[in-house]
Amino acid sequence: MRSTTLLLLATGASAQLYPNQSLLNHTCALQKPLLSCPPQDPSLVDSCCVETFGGLLLSTQFWDTYTGRESSGQLLPTDTWTLHGLWPDFCNGSYTQYCDLSRQYDPIPSPNTTNGLPNGTFVPSYTGPNIGTFLEPFGKYDLLAYMNTYWIAQNQDNAGFWGHEFSKHATCYSTFATACYGPEYREHEEVVDFFETAIKYYKRVPTFEWLAQAQITPSNETQYSYSDVVGVLTEKHGAVPFLGCSGPRFNATTQGANSTDSGYTRLTEVWYYDWVYGRPQEGDTVPVNASASYQTNCAKTEGALWYYERTESSEKKPTVPY
């Protein structure tokens, strides 16, 4: 869930981002791989070969301590942050969502309108086969196994969460438009492509490993400082990420009584920001800092953050390599 301090732009649509786009002449090897930010004019470049809509990419991860579906065998991978998604923000940091309702596979749309407001276009709940089944005709059973290991939902089934991430975010990339796949496009080809791309970005930012190298590991006894955590991740990624925390607020705790620090105290999320040359699929990126006005909602007091351990019943050692 994003902070409301980020401006929602556009109202979403029920069709492709750029209507009447040709199915032909999208040979990206012939195109100059332009940088996605500053924004490119889609009338002057091939929007299938350079990201022209959401050029600021956010590779996002969760640190959850439970899934809520342990009884169904939906468990977290030990010693690993899990994948949240790959989001396309506009270059100014604002964003839109559910940009193509003809590709709406989210069973629990959140929000349930395209602009998050009552006057937005209603996003209907998806009731068809779960999005995980879309991978099967392509023989992507290894991809499905990887996603069921590292792309883990909380309080809903994994496939429903994947459907949410694709429908809310992937439909707002110009480079995942179905027209980009040419006249031989196979249904759901771009879904597979998006999942593979999101995992490509996830694999190169191993948050747990980076923090552990700095002796920052999950603990129910030791607290950490925001400055230390963000410092490690900034050095490794090459730019300042957003760190997300949940409650309680520091000044509502006994430790923080009389403090003016109202940041949250439980480390739960990280967003890594990049610009991209050409298509996101190639992964040719430039790390960029999270917005100076919204780099964290965590408490910044020294020693204020909890990075909690998971219970043994909520995790398992992965059999699929990271």
mmCIF file of all heavy atoms in Angstrom, residues 91-124:
data_model
loop_
_atom_site.group_PDB
_atom_site.id
_atom_site.type_symbol
_atom_site.label_atom_id
_atom_site.label_comp_id
_atom_site.label_asym_id
_atom_site.label_seq_id
_atom_site.Cartn_x
_atom_site.Cartn_y
_atom_site.Cartn_z
ATOM 1 N N CYS A 91 8.106 9.937 -14.047
ATOM 2 C CA CYS A 91 9.437 10.428 -13.709
ATOM 3 C C CYS A 91 9.432 11.422 -12.549
ATOM 4 O O CYS A 91 10.441 11.586 -11.868
ATOM 5 C CB CYS A 91 10.096 11.047 -14.937
ATOM 6 S SG CYS A 91 10.477 9.842 -16.244
ATOM 7 N N ASN A 92 8.292 12.056 -12.293
ATOM 8 C CA ASN A 92 8.208 13.006 -11.183
ATOM 9 C C ASN A 92 7.806 12.332 -9.876
ATOM 10 O O ASN A 92 7.620 12.994 -8.854
ATOM 11 C CB ASN A 92 7.247 14.154 -11.507
ATOM 12 C CG ASN A 92 5.809 13.683 -11.682
ATOM 13 O OD1 ASN A 92 5.474 12.527 -11.441
ATOM 14 N ND2 ASN A 92 4.945 14.598 -12.114
ATOM 15 N N GLY A 93 7.668 10.997 -9.891
ATOM 16 C CA GLY A 93 7.352 10.264 -8.676
ATOM 17 C C GLY A 93 5.876 10.024 -8.443
ATOM 18 O O GLY A 93 5.510 9.258 -7.544
ATOM 19 N N SER A 94 5.015 10.644 -9.229
ATOM 20 C CA SER A 94 3.582 10.342 -9.136
ATOM 21 C C SER A 94 3.315 9.066 -9.937
ATOM 22 O O SER A 94 4.207 8.516 -10.578
ATOM 23 C CB SER A 94 2.757 11.510 -9.658
ATOM 24 O OG SER A 94 3.073 11.785 -11.008
ATOM 25 N N TYR A 95 2.093 8.580 -9.911
ATOM 26 C CA TYR A 95 1.822 7.300 -10.559
ATOM 27 C C TYR A 95 0.338 7.145 -10.867
ATOM 28 O O TYR A 95 -0.507 7.890 -10.364
ATOM 29 C CB TYR A 95 2.287 6.134 -9.675
ATOM 30 C CG TYR A 95 1.568 6.023 -8.347
ATOM 31 C CD1 TYR A 95 0.457 5.207 -8.196
ATOM 32 C CD2 TYR A 95 2.008 6.754 -7.236
ATOM 33 C CE1 TYR A 95 -0.197 5.103 -6.981
ATOM 34 C CE2 TYR A 95 1.359 6.665 -6.026
ATOM 35 C CZ TYR A 95 0.258 5.831 -5.891
ATOM 36 O OH TYR A 95 -0.399 5.747 -4.693
ATOM 37 N N THR A 96 0.056 6.178 -11.692
ATOM 38 C CA THR A 96 -1.314 5.789 -11.974
ATOM 39 C C THR A 96 -1.413 4.277 -11.794
ATOM 40 O O THR A 96 -0.450 3.624 -11.383
ATOM 41 C CB THR A 96 -1.736 6.240 -13.379
ATOM 42 O OG1 THR A 96 -3.127 5.994 -13.553
ATOM 43 C CG2 THR A 96 -0.943 5.525 -14.453
ATOM 44 N N GLN A 97 -2.579 3.707 -12.085
ATOM 45 C CA GLN A 97 -2.794 2.294 -11.781
ATOM 46 C C GLN A 97 -3.967 1.756 -12.592
ATOM 47 O O GLN A 97 -4.794 2.519 -13.085
ATOM 48 C CB GLN A 97 -3.091 2.129 -10.294
ATOM 49 C CG GLN A 97 -4.289 2.937 -9.836
ATOM 50 C CD GLN A 97 -4.263 3.240 -8.350
ATOM 51 O OE1 GLN A 97 -3.380 2.813 -7.619
ATOM 52 N NE2 GLN A 97 -5.253 3.983 -7.891
ATOM 53 N N TYR A 98 -3.993 0.421 -12.749
ATOM 54 C CA TYR A 98 -5.068 -0.248 -13.494
ATOM 55 C C TYR A 98 -5.312 0.462 -14.829
ATOM 56 O O TYR A 98 -6.404 0.927 -15.132
ATOM 57 C CB TYR A 98 -6.353 -0.281 -12.667
ATOM 58 C CG TYR A 98 -6.261 -1.125 -11.420
ATOM 59 C CD1 TYR A 98 -6.219 -0.538 -10.160
ATOM 60 C CD2 TYR A 98 -6.197 -2.515 -11.499
ATOM 61 C CE1 TYR A 98 -6.131 -1.307 -9.004
ATOM 62 C CE2 TYR A 98 -6.109 -3.297 -10.351
ATOM 63 C CZ TYR A 98 -6.078 -2.684 -9.104
ATOM 64 O OH TYR A 98 -5.988 -3.453 -7.974
ATOM 65 N N CYS A 99 -4.257 0.527 -15.638
ATOM 66 C CA CYS A 99 -4.310 1.316 -16.874
ATOM 67 C C CYS A 99 -5.010 0.612 -18.022
ATOM 68 O O CYS A 99 -5.308 1.249 -19.034
ATOM 69 C CB CYS A 99 -2.889 1.691 -17.299
ATOM 70 S SG CYS A 99 -2.067 2.818 -16.155
ATOM 71 N N ASP A 100 -5.272 -0.667 -17.922
ATOM 72 C CA ASP A 100 -5.924 -1.410 -19.006
ATOM 73 C C ASP A 100 -6.853 -2.440 -18.386
ATOM 74 O O ASP A 100 -6.430 -3.547 -18.028
ATOM 75 C CB ASP A 100 -4.872 -2.078 -19.894
ATOM 76 C CG ASP A 100 -5.494 -2.833 -21.066
ATOM 77 O OD1 ASP A 100 -6.734 -2.855 -21.181
ATOM 78 O OD2 ASP A 100 -4.715 -3.407 -21.863
ATOM 79 N N LEU A 101 -8.123 -2.083 -18.262
ATOM 80 C CA LEU A 101 -9.071 -2.972 -17.588
ATOM 81 C C LEU A 101 -9.438 -4.192 -18.422
ATOM 82 O O LEU A 101 -10.080 -5.114 -17.915
ATOM 83 C CB LEU A 101 -10.324 -2.188 -17.185
ATOM 84 C CG LEU A 101 -10.085 -1.102 -16.134
ATOM 85 C CD1 LEU A 101 -11.392 -0.424 -15.761
ATOM 86 C CD2 LEU A 101 -9.394 -1.661 -14.896
ATOM 87 N N SER A 102 -9.014 -4.224 -19.698
ATOM 88 C CA SER A 102 -9.210 -5.447 -20.481
ATOM 89 C C SER A 102 -8.222 -6.531 -20.046
ATOM 90 O O SER A 102 -8.374 -7.698 -20.409
ATOM 91 C CB SER A 102 -9.045 -5.159 -21.973
ATOM 92 O OG SER A 102 -7.698 -4.888 -22.312
ATOM 93 N N ARG A 103 -7.222 -6.129 -19.253
ATOM 94 C CA ARG A 103 -6.266 -7.085 -18.687
ATOM 95 C C ARG A 103 -6.313 -6.992 -17.157
ATOM 96 O O ARG A 103 -5.296 -6.849 -16.505
ATOM 97 C CB ARG A 103 -4.862 -6.803 -19.225
ATOM 98 C CG ARG A 103 -4.725 -7.002 -20.725
ATOM 99 C CD ARG A 103 -3.296 -6.787 -21.195
ATOM 100 N NE ARG A 103 -2.894 -5.393 -21.112
ATOM 101 C CZ ARG A 103 -1.624 -4.973 -21.156
ATOM 102 N NH1 ARG A 103 -0.638 -5.845 -21.249
ATOM 103 N NH2 ARG A 103 -1.354 -3.679 -21.096
ATOM 104 N N GLN A 104 -7.496 -7.085 -16.620
ATOM 105 C CA GLN A 104 -7.723 -6.984 -15.182
ATOM 106 C C GLN A 104 -7.863 -8.407 -14.629
ATOM 107 O O GLN A 104 -8.867 -9.056 -14.827
ATOM 108 C CB GLN A 104 -8.994 -6.183 -14.922
ATOM 109 C CG GLN A 104 -9.207 -5.579 -13.549
ATOM 110 C CD GLN A 104 -8.793 -6.381 -12.363
ATOM 111 O OE1 GLN A 104 -7.595 -6.543 -12.123
ATOM 112 N NE2 GLN A 104 -9.746 -6.903 -11.610
ATOM 113 N N TYR A 105 -6.802 -8.863 -13.917
ATOM 114 C CA TYR A 105 -6.776 -10.223 -13.373
ATOM 115 C C TYR A 105 -6.677 -10.221 -11.852
ATOM 116 O O TYR A 105 -6.273 -11.220 -11.253
ATOM 117 C CB TYR A 105 -5.583 -10.991 -13.962
ATOM 118 C CG TYR A 105 -5.494 -10.938 -15.466
ATOM 119 C CD1 TYR A 105 -4.345 -10.434 -16.099
ATOM 120 C CD2 TYR A 105 -6.547 -11.373 -16.270
ATOM 121 C CE1 TYR A 105 -4.260 -10.380 -17.486
ATOM 122 C CE2 TYR A 105 -6.463 -11.316 -17.655
ATOM 123 C CZ TYR A 105 -5.319 -10.812 -18.249
ATOM 124 O OH TYR A 105 -5.233 -10.754 -19.621
ATOM 125 N N ASP A 106 -7.025 -9.113 -11.227
ATOM 126 C CA ASP A 106 -6.911 -8.940 -9.784
ATOM 127 C C ASP A 106 -8.231 -9.326 -9.115
ATOM 128 O O ASP A 106 -9.253 -8.669 -9.322
ATOM 129 C CB ASP A 106 -6.579 -7.470 -9.489
ATOM 130 C CG ASP A 106 -6.307 -7.197 -8.024
ATOM 131 O OD1 ASP A 106 -6.534 -8.092 -7.192
ATOM 132 O OD2 ASP A 106 -5.867 -6.069 -7.713
ATOM 133 N N PRO A 107 -8.244 -10.382 -8.294
ATOM 134 C CA PRO A 107 -9.506 -10.785 -7.658
ATOM 135 C C PRO A 107 -9.951 -9.849 -6.540
ATOM 136 O O PRO A 107 -11.131 -9.853 -6.169
ATOM 137 C CB PRO A 107 -9.176 -12.179 -7.109
ATOM 138 C CG PRO A 107 -7.700 -12.183 -6.923
ATOM 139 C CD PRO A 107 -7.142 -11.307 -7.996
ATOM 140 N N ILE A 108 -9.011 -9.067 -6.000
ATOM 141 C CA ILE A 108 -9.348 -8.138 -4.913
ATOM 142 C C ILE A 108 -8.732 -6.783 -5.241
ATOM 143 O O ILE A 108 -7.701 -6.387 -4.662
ATOM 144 C CB ILE A 108 -8.834 -8.647 -3.554
ATOM 145 C CG1 ILE A 108 -9.156 -10.121 -3.341
ATOM 146 C CG2 ILE A 108 -9.423 -7.815 -2.411
ATOM 147 C CD1 ILE A 108 -8.529 -10.715 -2.083
ATOM 148 N N PRO A 109 -9.296 -6.034 -6.193
ATOM 149 C CA PRO A 109 -8.690 -4.753 -6.586
ATOM 150 C C PRO A 109 -8.552 -3.805 -5.403
ATOM 151 O O PRO A 109 -9.476 -3.636 -4.612
ATOM 152 C CB PRO A 109 -9.686 -4.192 -7.620
ATOM 153 C CG PRO A 109 -10.429 -5.388 -8.119
ATOM 154 C CD PRO A 109 -10.526 -6.315 -6.950
ATOM 155 N N SER A 110 -7.372 -3.210 -5.310
ATOM 156 C CA SER A 110 -7.108 -2.260 -4.233
ATOM 157 C C SER A 110 -6.216 -1.149 -4.766
ATOM 158 O O SER A 110 -5.056 -1.388 -5.092
ATOM 159 C CB SER A 110 -6.415 -2.963 -3.065
ATOM 160 O OG SER A 110 -6.063 -2.054 -2.044
ATOM 161 N N PRO A 111 -6.797 0.071 -4.912
ATOM 162 C CA PRO A 111 -8.179 0.452 -4.648
ATOM 163 C C PRO A 111 -9.111 -0.136 -5.708
ATOM 164 O O PRO A 111 -8.653 -0.724 -6.684
ATOM 165 C CB PRO A 111 -8.137 1.980 -4.737
ATOM 166 C CG PRO A 111 -7.041 2.256 -5.718
ATOM 167 C CD PRO A 111 -6.005 1.205 -5.466
ATOM 168 N N ASN A 112 -10.409 0.074 -5.539
ATOM 169 C CA ASN A 112 -11.358 -0.511 -6.491
ATOM 170 C C ASN A 112 -11.831 0.484 -7.547
ATOM 171 O O ASN A 112 -12.800 0.228 -8.252
ATOM 172 C CB ASN A 112 -12.551 -1.128 -5.768
ATOM 173 C CG ASN A 112 -13.402 -0.094 -5.030
ATOM 174 O OD1 ASN A 112 -13.084 1.091 -5.031
ATOM 175 N ND2 ASN A 112 -14.472 -0.554 -4.405
ATOM 176 N N THR A 113 -11.122 1.626 -7.656
ATOM 177 C CA THR A 113 -11.321 2.543 -8.776
ATOM 178 C C THR A 113 -9.951 2.892 -9.330
ATOM 179 O O THR A 113 -8.936 2.780 -8.638
ATOM 180 C CB THR A 113 -12.049 3.847 -8.372
ATOM 181 O OG1 THR A 113 -11.226 4.600 -7.474
ATOM 182 C CG2 THR A 113 -13.406 3.547 -7.733
ATOM 183 N N THR A 114 -9.925 3.334 -10.564
ATOM 184 C CA THR A 114 -8.645 3.554 -11.241
ATOM 185 C C THR A 114 -7.848 4.711 -10.670
ATOM 186 O O THR A 114 -6.636 4.748 -10.828
ATOM 187 C CB THR A 114 -8.869 3.794 -12.739
ATOM 188 O OG1 THR A 114 -9.838 4.848 -12.905
ATOM 189 C CG2 THR A 114 -9.354 2.531 -13.430
ATOM 190 N N ASN A 115 -8.497 5.651 -10.011
ATOM 191 C CA ASN A 115 -7.746 6.763 -9.405
ATOM 192 C C ASN A 115 -7.792 6.739 -7.888
ATOM 193 O O ASN A 115 -7.301 7.655 -7.238
ATOM 194 C CB ASN A 115 -8.234 8.116 -9.935
ATOM 195 C CG ASN A 115 -9.667 8.424 -9.542
ATOM 196 O OD1 ASN A 115 -10.338 7.609 -8.901
ATOM 197 N ND2 ASN A 115 -10.150 9.599 -9.923
ATOM 198 N N GLY A 116 -8.385 5.684 -7.325
ATOM 199 C CA GLY A 116 -8.455 5.574 -5.880
ATOM 200 C C GLY A 116 -9.488 6.474 -5.240
ATOM 201 O O GLY A 116 -9.555 6.567 -4.012
ATOM 202 N N LEU A 117 -10.296 7.128 -6.064
ATOM 203 C CA LEU A 117 -11.305 8.060 -5.572
ATOM 204 C C LEU A 117 -12.700 7.604 -6.011
ATOM 205 O O LEU A 117 -12.836 6.850 -6.982
ATOM 206 C CB LEU A 117 -11.036 9.468 -6.110
ATOM 207 C CG LEU A 117 -9.656 10.064 -5.756
ATOM 208 C CD1 LEU A 117 -9.452 11.378 -6.515
ATOM 209 C CD2 LEU A 117 -9.537 10.282 -4.258
ATOM 210 N N PRO A 118 -13.748 8.071 -5.328
ATOM 211 C CA PRO A 118 -15.105 7.649 -5.694
ATOM 212 C C PRO A 118 -15.492 7.996 -7.133
ATOM 213 O O PRO A 118 -16.339 7.320 -7.727
ATOM 214 C CB PRO A 118 -15.989 8.411 -4.693
ATOM 215 C CG PRO A 118 -15.104 8.619 -3.506
ATOM 216 C CD PRO A 118 -13.741 8.860 -4.075
ATOM 217 N N ASN A 119 -14.870 9.028 -7.721
ATOM 218 C CA ASN A 119 -15.229 9.414 -9.091
ATOM 219 C C ASN A 119 -14.414 8.670 -10.138
ATOM 220 O O ASN A 119 -14.552 8.923 -11.335
ATOM 221 C CB ASN A 119 -15.066 10.922 -9.276
ATOM 222 C CG ASN A 119 -13.619 11.387 -9.174
ATOM 223 O OD1 ASN A 119 -12.738 10.614 -8.816
ATOM 224 N ND2 ASN A 119 -13.384 12.661 -9.462
ATOM 225 N N GLY A 120 -13.567 7.744 -9.727
ATOM 226 C CA GLY A 120 -12.758 6.997 -10.676
ATOM 227 C C GLY A 120 -13.536 5.874 -11.337
ATOM 228 O O GLY A 120 -14.632 5.499 -10.897
ATOM 229 N N THR A 121 -12.971 5.329 -12.395
ATOM 230 C CA THR A 121 -13.584 4.188 -13.076
ATOM 231 C C THR A 121 -13.517 2.963 -12.178
ATOM 232 O O THR A 121 -12.464 2.632 -11.631
ATOM 233 C CB THR A 121 -12.862 3.899 -14.401
ATOM 234 O OG1 THR A 121 -12.921 5.059 -15.229
ATOM 235 C CG2 THR A 121 -13.481 2.722 -15.126
ATOM 236 N N PHE A 122 -14.632 2.277 -12.036
ATOM 237 C CA PHE A 122 -14.706 1.102 -11.169
ATOM 238 C C PHE A 122 -13.850 -0.027 -11.737
ATOM 239 O O PHE A 122 -13.863 -0.293 -12.940
ATOM 240 C CB PHE A 122 -16.159 0.642 -11.037
ATOM 241 C CG PHE A 122 -16.340 -0.593 -10.202
ATOM 242 C CD1 PHE A 122 -16.105 -0.556 -8.839
ATOM 243 C CD2 PHE A 122 -16.738 -1.787 -10.782
ATOM 244 C CE1 PHE A 122 -16.273 -1.702 -8.064
ATOM 245 C CE2 PHE A 122 -16.909 -2.930 -10.023
ATOM 246 C CZ PHE A 122 -16.682 -2.879 -8.648
ATOM 247 N N VAL A 123 -13.085 -0.683 -10.869
ATOM 248 C CA VAL A 123 -12.271 -1.831 -11.258
ATOM 249 C C VAL A 123 -12.990 -3.090 -10.790
ATOM 250 O O VAL A 123 -13.057 -3.367 -9.588
ATOM 251 C CB VAL A 123 -10.864 -1.761 -10.630
ATOM 252 C CG1 VAL A 123 -10.026 -2.974 -11.058
ATOM 253 C CG2 VAL A 123 -10.157 -0.469 -11.013
ATOM 254 N N PRO A 124 -13.557 -3.865 -11.703
ATOM 255 C CA PRO A 124 -14.306 -5.059 -11.296
ATOM 256 C C PRO A 124 -13.377 -6.156 -10.799
ATOM 257 O O PRO A 124 -12.233 -6.277 -11.243
ATOM 258 C CB PRO A 124 -15.007 -5.481 -12.593
ATOM 259 C CG PRO A 124 -14.103 -4.989 -13.678
ATOM 260 C CD PRO A 124 -13.522 -3.703 -13.172
#
